[in-house]
Amino acid sequence: MQKVSVLLFLAWVGFLFYAGIALFTSGFLLTRLELTNHSSCQEPPGPGSLPLGSQGKPGACWMASRFSRVVFVLIDALRFDFAQPQRSYVSGEPPVSLPFLGKLGSLQRILEIQPHHARLYRSQVDPPTTTVQRLKALTTGSLPTFIDAGSNFASYAIVEDNLIKQLTRAGQRIVFMGDDTWRDLFPGAFSKAFFFSSFNVKDLHTVDNGILEHLYPTMDSGEWDVLIAHFLGVDHCGHTHGPHHPEMAKKLSQMDQVIQGLMDRLENDTLLVVAGDHGMTVTGDHGGESELEVSAALFLYSPTALFPSTPPEEPEVIPQISLVPTLALLLGLPIPFGNIGEVIAELFSESKDSQPHSSALAQAKALHLNAQQVFRFLHTYSAATQDLQVELHRLQNLFSKASADYQWLLQNPQEAEATLQTVITELQQFLRGARATCIESWARFSLVRMAGGAALLASACFLCLLTSQWSTSPSFPFYPLLFIPVSWGLAGAMICAGLLVTAGWKLDLVILGAIAATSSLLSFMWKATAGLGSKRPLAILFPIPGPVLILLLLRLAAFFSDSFVVAEARATPFLLGSLILLLVAQLHWEGKLLPSRLLPTPRLGSSAQTGPARPSGAYALRLGVGLLLCTRLAGLFHRCPEETPVCHSSPWLSPLASMVGGRAKNLWYGACVGALVALLVAVRLWLRRYGNLKSPEPPVLFVRWGLPLMALGTAAYWALASGADEAPPRLRALVAGATVVLPRAVAGLAAAGLLLLLWRPVTVLVKVGAGAPRTRTVLTPFSGPPTSQADLEYVVPQIYRHMQEAFRGRIERTKSQGPLTVAAYQLGSVYSAAMVTALTLLAFPLLLLHAERISLVFLLLFLQSFLLLHLLAAGIPITTPGPFTVPWQAVSAWALLATQTFYSTGHQPVFPAIHWHAAFVGFPEGHGSSIWLPALLVGANTFASHLLFAVGCPLLLLWPFLCESQGPRKRRQPPGSEAESRTKPEEEEEEEEEPLMEMRLRDAPHHFNAALLQLGLKYLFVLGVQILACTLAASILRRHLMVWKVFAPKFIFEAIGFIVSSVGLLLGIALVMRVDGAVSSWFRKLVLAQ
């Protein structure tokens, strides 16, 4: 079994999982069809004449315009309660003092002074609550689907009909200022624009100050018809400090001054709209569908009277998309073709002095136009997609009745008063029913694709389980099971593609990938069935130990409960602690309570398994207690889900820059730097303990000097980032430059270190000399007289090997000199040293992407991994010459530890919990038009634990061999030689014998490669059954109330986490194989040199 073939096999298995995930996703997260139809004044939305009062008027379209100008102020993340006065939420209690309450006082004053001129609404936002999706909704009146949230990084031009296009067609002069996202959504639509970069969430003032520089001069110039200002300071303040920070009070006070200044400058024909695109959570994030995220403020004001009545005591709740048809008709424009919003009827009432009948009739006119437009859209959409057939028939009956009643109302005005309110109710019922139907339809699933994806995932899991048990067998037909299925898969995909092209159908890459995966999978199963026969099916199907299987099933069953998914951050440490206790108990039962030591090797020809003696259990008990303690400490860094309001998130997850007290900030900074230094010292001491710092190789030199530089750069960046706002003005440019250079320098050093490690991965110290060997040699691993029964059992095979090598001429002797000896130090830890070095180099740039205090979690991560590896190694017997096996409990514990670290670093499988600030580490000014780099940085922050544990997975195989001895042992000297030894030089005092440790893996290369394959398959199985459980839960509970809030985000995070983990696993195994190849090359050069 060749090394490259192992990687190819694991890559093929990963492809099977990817194909299953993609197929399920295409059926579960559907996107709606975007129609390119446009409304126009020449084409009324329905049969019949235009409404009364619109014919013959200049500028009239479907309805006569009420305003000729509009000022649209969009305050990003303006939550509804930000517009509320300073008061208690509960009657009878004293006023609640919150920084954001009562700061928009101008709204309350105008509502009290001019109640007929202004109105405040609670705008109900449709999830996802991301800015781009909200801008689409605010201009098209439609609903983005769940999967559209991914385009928040990449905003492309809106192809659907929208308000901006209608204004442009009407010849209106649109002036925009603010968030540069609008430039990508509406290219070339503005007569004048002032764009400012929106991506730097830590910058609270640049965009807002830039708007204020142009806002009032533009208004005073009069060279505009529509003025749009998109402020970002409130949103950025929420992301950086949260809504309860004093900076939020300052930002809202600034917005209040802006609104007051605009109202003072308005003319009678101008409408002022102040809106929030979405809200924010208590931590300042958004993207989900919690009450605080979907609740935004909407304020309307005009110098002329707008409403016939005074505002209600509690603001009315309206859908956010209702603003689109309302503005269109108020400005005398056609309603955008794809709108499904309902007009705000009270805005179409006559003045406060008019008759109630006249106001109600005006509302009915607007609602009827709105209903005609929505029905036209539904009919066109249904014809284009062959969807909504049943629902459209029901809605058509509602619309026909409402429309007939409205026409009768127009023809019988004398009897209108009795039926007017009934007509308004019928029209509103149709519009609300149409919106509900669209919401339900655009969440419609393709059950065939979902079932196919789940079946592919289940088959891939079964393949991993089957092959992991079969791969260590000498009869395992590796090459036929790899190349024949892959060939069948390629052939199936090519045949399918040819048939689709011949038929003139569009190629679907998801379907092609699924067909390729299915073809190769069926071929593998057929070949495996023929190879296995009927002797070993039960032993292969049930390899997982009972207790581990029970814990695994409990974890998978929890994915079917929204409560357990929400509480997974607490359930995972419990399962991990249970597994740790199980391991300790198992070691006690089996008498393996000390770390694995060098055990007697079977005599030549024997392959019996060896096991350690039965000493005291203090060692394993200390390991178990230490692991449980670290797990508990890591749980202190937790982030509460929004569904658990009684829970309080750890304050240690926020960056140091958000802290107000200087003394506390300094103390925390010292603790963070201390954790960084402790991590660096621990890694260096570990490498020194196994002697890997003695080598003159470039990677070792980099560990000595490069890692301290990386730690210094990280500490300096933390100091500057946490105190950037406190820097003197003359030094702020220098500080800003340093915050750009330092993270990039640390990342560059990490990349350089990894390249050096790949170039020269063997970190051993070699000494060549003549004479009797005083240390362990490469060609004769045992030297010296036997000092124990274990040593005695090594004598015969080692002498036999030495005689063979001497007979073949590989050891040349000279007459004057003794045998040529080559002493190689620290070959026994050559694989682990490379893995630990690589993980440390990866950890530093990943740590930079997190808040400073997460460094304590990273220190706990390394400590937990160290303790767990030692505990697992204590129970894994070393078999020589093979096969080598990693037990299921070790793989399961490793995967659980990765999940626990995901939560301990402040993450949750929901979109509002994503650490968006990671995109600006090293790029405080944003990334321009690039979307891949910020997505990569945010992804690395989110899935750092998945990557580190996947890359480090081969340590599960290597660590038992590393723990074969706690270090080099001095040879026992014969009696009477103590005095002689005291007189020898210090170099000769280093006569030690070094156990083989990881070099045992090279005695059986086939078993080594098979063990790596088996480990990779077991890890993919554990991760694969998790994603399978998520797909089954999402399928079964697809109509559950919490499907989009809990199960869909969980599936997405698990899917991306699986992809990251599988790639990391391949990289980790590839690194081990690179070291193995370098060791082989080193041996060949050594033999040639001798």
Side-chain angles (χ1 to χ4, degrees):
M1 189 185 302
Q2 299 295 323
K3 301 178 182 66
V4 176
S5 302
V6 171
L7 290 175
L8 289 177
F9 194 91
L10 290 175
W12 171 63
V13 174
F15 167 74
L16 298 180
F17 280 104
Y18 301 161
I21 291 172
L23 185 60
F24 180 86
T25 302
S26 66
F28 181 59
L29 301 177
L30 294 177
T31 57
R32 64 180 177 85
L33 177 66
E34 294 185 348
L35 302 179
T36 57
N37 306 56
H38 292 82
S39 300
S40 66
C41 292
Q42 292 74 27
E43 297 180 9
S49 60
L50 291 174
L52 298 175
S54 63
Q55 298 96 332
K57 290 192 177 182
C61 187
W62 293 1
M63 178 174 279
S65 62
R66 188 169 181 183
F67 296 98
S68 58
R69 287 183 172 185
V70 63
V71 177
F72 185 68
V73 178
L74 185 62
I75 302 178
D76 210 294
L78 183 64
R79 206 166 71 189
F80 174 72
D81 55 352
F82 290 178
Q84 287 187 312
Q86 183 88 347
R87 64 185 181 189
S88 172
Y89 290 103
V90 181
S91 60
E93 293 187 1
V96 178
S97 179
L98 295 173
F100 55 79
L101 289 180
K103 296 301 181 289
L104 297 179
S106 58
L107 305 186
Q108 297 301 323
R109 285 193 300 271
I110 205 70
L111 287 172
E112 295 172 0
I113 298 173
Q114 296 179 294
H116 295 280
H117 295 248
R119 194 71 93 238
L120 177 65
Y121 297 98
R122 182 194 290 266
S123 178
Q124 192 72 19
V125 178
D126 298 295
T129 51
T130 48
T131 296
V132 172
Q133 279 60 53
R134 294 301 91 225
L135 293 182
K136 289 181 178 180
L138 282 168
T139 54
T140 64
S142 187
L143 300 174
T145 53
F146 184 87
I147 198 62
D148 287 342
S151 63
N152 199 47
F153 265 124
S155 52
Y156 303 105
I158 297 177
V159 297
E160 290 182 286
D161 195 11
N162 57 79
L163 277 176
I164 304 299
K165 282 186 179 180
Q166 292 295 341
L167 288 167
T168 305
R169 287 185 172 188
Q172 302 289 311
R173 296 167 297 175
I174 310 174
V175 178
F176 176 83
M177 51 192 72
D179 186 351
D180 61 351
T181 303
W182 291 71
R183 175 172 50 195
D184 300 323
L185 294 176
F186 309 102
F190 306 114
S191 57
K192 185 183 294 186
F194 306 94
F195 296 112
F196 303 94
S197 177
S198 61
F199 209 67
N200 186 5
V201 295
K202 293 187 177 182
D203 185 356
L204 311 184
H205 307 293
T206 299
V207 176
D208 293 359
N209 292 342
I211 294 174
L212 294 177
E213 183 181 347
H214 302 283
L215 180 60
Y216 299 130
T218 302
M219 281 197 70
D220 296 337
S221 69
E223 298 176 356
W224 57 277
D225 297 305
V226 177
L227 179 58
I228 304 173
H230 187 168
F231 291 89
L232 290 175
V234 173
D235 179 69
H236 287 189
C237 184
H239 284 299
T240 305
H241 302 293
H244 296 84
H245 197 274
E247 282 294 329
M248 182 62 76
K250 297 179 183 178
K251 263 294 151 193
L252 291 174
S253 298
Q254 183 187 31
M255 293 299 100
D256 185 62
Q257 295 175 8
V258 171
I259 296 170
Q260 185 62 56
L262 290 172
M263 288 191 293
D264 293 341
R265 289 172 168 82
L266 288 183
E267 298 179 358
N268 289 336
D269 64 344
T270 306
L271 174 67
L272 173 65
V273 180
V274 179
D277 56 344
H278 52 74
M280 65 173 67
T281 63
V282 292
T283 59
D285 300 312
H286 58 88
E289 52 180 328
S290 67
E291 180 61 29
L292 293 177
E293 292 171 275
V294 300
S295 178
L298 174 62
F299 176 77
L300 302 177
Y301 170 77
S302 173
T304 57
L306 276 174
F307 306 96
S309 60
T310 58
E313 184 176 346
E314 286 296 326
E316 183 183 353
V317 179
I318 63 168
Q320 187 184 55
I321 57 175
S322 297
L323 186 62
V324 174
T326 303
L327 285 181
L329 294 183
L330 288 176
L331 294 173
L333 300 172
I335 300 175
F337 189 89
N339 165 73
I340 59 171
E342 173 192 343
V343 294
I344 305 174
E346 62 178 340
L347 277 166
F348 297 90
S349 304
E350 302 295 339
S351 64
K352 61 181 180 180
D353 300 326
S354 62
Q355 296 296 321
H357 170 74
S358 177
S359 296
L361 184 60
Q363 294 177 20
K365 294 174 186 176
L367 286 168
H368 184 249
L369 270 177
N370 190 188
Q372 284 184 313
Q373 170 267 318
V374 170
F375 182 76
R376 181 183 65 176
F377 165 71
L378 293 177
H379 189 273
T380 306
Y381 186 87
S382 176
T385 61
Q386 299 302 312
D387 197 5
L388 301 177
Q389 302 293 338
V390 178
E391 296 86 348
L392 187 63
H393 179 71
R394 178 178 59 83
L395 290 172
Q396 185 172 6
N397 293 334
L398 282 175
F399 174 73
S400 299
K401 184 177 186 309
S403 184
D405 289 346
Y406 176 74
Q407 295 298 333
W408 182 88
L409 189 68
L410 295 180
Q411 296 169 5
N412 301 276
Q414 67 279 1
E415 302 179 15
E417 190 170 352
T419 58
L420 190 54
Q421 195 58 45
T422 303
V423 170
I424 291 177
T425 302
E426 290 175 346
L427 290 171
Q428 289 177 333
Q429 184 179 2
F430 164 75
L431 289 169
R432 292 166 189 176
R435 179 172 176 269
T437 298
C438 289
I439 292 176
E440 182 180 356
S441 172
W442 292 335
R444 184 166 293 171
F445 311 101
S446 174
L447 297 181
V448 174
R449 292 196 175 204
M450 291 171 65
L456 258 180
L457 291 172
S459 302
C461 290
F462 178 75
L463 182 149
C464 291
L465 190 64
L466 177 72
T467 313
S468 65
Q469 295 304 109
W470 195 12
S471 60
T472 55
S473 172
S475 61
F476 178 60
F478 181 78
Y479 294 105
L481 288 179
L482 171 63
F483 295 110
I484 293 178
V486 170
S487 302
W488 274 98
L490 292 174
M494 293 175 64
I495 292 173
C496 178
L499 292 176
L500 290 176
V501 171
T502 304
W505 293 348
K506 182 180 178 181
L507 289 178
D508 190 337
L509 295 180
V510 173
I511 296 297
L512 290 179
I515 290 176
T518 304
S519 302
S520 61
L521 196 57
L522 291 176
S523 174
F524 175 89
M525 292 302 179
W526 175 77
K527 196 72 179 175
T529 303
L532 275 174
S534 58
K535 294 182 179 180
R536 300 172 52 198
L538 291 178
I540 289 177
L541 288 179
F542 302 101
I544 306 177
V548 178
L549 182 61
I550 292 174
L551 285 176
L552 188 61
L553 290 177
L554 284 175
R555 171 163 167 74
L556 300 182
F559 290 161
F560 291 81
S561 167
D562 60 322
S563 300
F564 276 98
V565 172
V566 169
E568 189 182 16
R570 289 179 290 167
T572 302
F574 170 78
L575 291 175
L576 180 59
S578 302
L579 190 54
I580 292 169
L581 294 176
L582 174 65
L583 290 171
V584 174
Q586 184 180 5
L587 291 176
H588 174 70
W589 293 333
E590 298 178 358
K592 300 175 181 178
L593 288 174
L594 279 189
S596 307
R597 288 188 175 273
L598 181 62
L599 304 176
T601 303
R603 295 187 182 276
L604 240 55
S606 172
S607 61
Q609 181 172 298
T610 61
R614 297 186 179 183
S616 164
Y619 177 78
L621 188 60
R622 289 197 301 269
L623 290 176
V625 171
L627 260 173
L628 293 175
L629 180 61
C630 289
T631 304
R632 183 67 186 92
L633 290 175
L636 297 177
F637 295 82
H638 67 282
R639 179 174 186 144
C640 295
E642 60 192 27
E643 294 82 7
T644 54
V646 295
C647 175
H648 299 285
S649 298
S650 171
W652 304 336
L653 297 175
S654 59
L656 293 179
S658 63
M659 296 186 66
V660 180
R663 180 180 178 83
K665 181 188 293 188
N666 293 336
L667 290 175
W668 270 112
Y669 176 76
C672 296
V673 174
L676 197 65
V677 173
L679 177 61
L680 177 62
V681 170
V683 172
R684 285 175 61 93
L685 287 178
W686 185 89
L687 293 172
R688 182 186 298 277
R689 182 177 184 275
Y690 287 99
N692 295 100
L693 283 181
K694 296 178 181 179
S695 173
E697 295 294 333
V700 176
L701 296 178
F702 186 87
V703 170
R704 290 178 179 173
W705 304 106
L707 284 181
L709 283 177
M710 293 171 65
L712 182 62
T714 303
Y717 172 74
W718 287 346
L720 295 176
S722 61
D725 296 336
E726 303 169 7
R730 55 190 178 87
L731 295 179
R732 286 184 180 174
L734 180 62
V735 171
T739 54
V740 173
V741 173
L742 288 174
R744 299 184 186 184
V746 172
L749 284 172
L754 290 172
L755 291 176
L756 287 175
L757 187 63
L758 291 175
W759 176 45
R760 302 289 292 273
V762 179
T763 56
V764 298
L765 178 63
V766 180
K767 292 182 180 180
V768 180
R774 292 191 297 264
T775 62
R776 175 177 300 278
T777 66
V778 173
L779 299 181
T780 55
F782 179 83
S783 61
T787 59
S788 66
Q789 180 65 26
D791 292 346
L792 184 62
E793 293 187 3
Y794 270 103
V795 170
V796 175
Q798 298 305 329
I799 290 178
Y800 176 72
R801 188 181 300 177
H802 184 84
M803 290 172 60
Q804 282 186 320
E805 293 163 350
F807 178 75
R808 293 170 185 169
R810 294 184 180 176
I811 300 181
E812 299 292 342
R813 298 178 180 273
T814 62
K815 295 181 180 180
S816 59
Q817 298 177 347
L820 180 66
T821 60
V822 180
Y825 296 90
Q826 288 72 53
L827 265 175
S829 58
V830 64
Y831 299 106
S832 299
M835 292 298 302
V836 171
T837 303
L839 289 172
T840 307
L841 292 173
L842 276 174
F844 271 94
L846 292 176
L847 178 56
L848 266 180
L849 297 176
H850 291 78
E852 298 89 345
R853 287 177 278 192
I854 299 297
S855 59
L856 301 171
V857 179
F858 271 69
L859 179 61
L860 287 173
L861 180 156
F862 272 79
L863 183 57
Q864 277 182 289
S865 305
F866 175 82
L867 295 173
L868 181 62
L869 286 169
H870 273 277
L871 182 63
L872 295 172
I876 299 178
I878 300 174
T879 56
T880 304
F884 313 117
T885 301
V886 178
W888 282 100
Q889 53 264 37
V891 180
S892 302
W894 197 251
L896 276 176
L897 190 54
T899 303
Q900 186 246 344
T901 307
F902 170 80
Y903 287 106
S904 297
T905 48
H907 294 99
Q908 286 281 340
V910 290
F911 292 109
I914 295 177
H915 298 177
W916 299 109
H917 65 83
F920 307 102
V921 176
F923 301 89
E925 300 300 326
H927 301 266
S929 59
S930 173
I931 61 171
W932 296 109
L933 184 56
L936 179 64
L937 293 175
V938 173
N941 170 283
T942 305
F943 301 100
S945 62
H946 297 73
L947 180 62
L948 288 173
F949 279 93
V951 172
C953 190
L955 289 174
L956 295 173
L957 173 65
L958 302 173
W959 212 265
F961 295 91
L962 188 70
C963 294
E964 182 181 296
S965 172
Q966 296 304 303
R969 297 174 298 166
K970 290 190 176 182
R971 279 192 304 167
R972 185 177 300 173
Q973 300 189 22
S977 62
E978 289 84 354
E980 181 183 353
S981 65
R982 283 194 295 268
T983 60
K984 290 183 179 180
E986 289 186 7
E987 304 148 348
E988 299 185 7
E989 298 252 347
E990 294 180 0
E991 289 189 21
E992 299 167 343
E993 35 178 88
E994 186 179 343
L996 289 177
M997 295 192 289
E998 292 174 355
M999 282 297 99
R1000 292 186 180 279
L1001 294 166
R1002 292 193 50 79
D1003 287 344
H1006 172 78
H1007 289 307
F1008 187 18
N1009 293 333
L1012 288 172
L1013 175 62
Q1014 185 192 55
L1015 174 62
L1017 290 171
K1018 286 183 175 180
Y1019 197 66
L1020 288 178
F1021 172 80
V1022 173
L1023 298 177
V1025 292
Q1026 292 180 189
I1027 186 65
L1028 175 62
C1030 286
T1031 59
L1032 294 177
S1035 301
I1036 297 171
L1037 303 172
R1038 62 186 180 276
R1039 295 301 179 190
H1040 193 277
L1041 180 65
M1042 305 295 285
V1043 62
W1044 301 118
K1045 189 176 183 63
V1046 175
F1047 296 110
K1050 178 63 177 174
F1051 163 71
I1052 293 174
F1053 274 78
E1054 283 291 339
I1056 299 175
F1058 177 87
I1059 295 172
V1060 172
S1061 298
S1062 59
V1063 172
L1065 178 67
L1066 286 175
L1067 293 176
I1069 293 178
L1071 177 59
V1072 173
M1073 293 182 170
R1074 171 71 185 99
V1075 177
D1076 190 59
V1079 171
S1080 300
S1081 177
W1082 183 83
F1083 269 103
R1084 284 194 298 269
K1085 292 179 181 178
L1086 181 63
V1087 172
L1088 291 175
Q1090 293 188 34

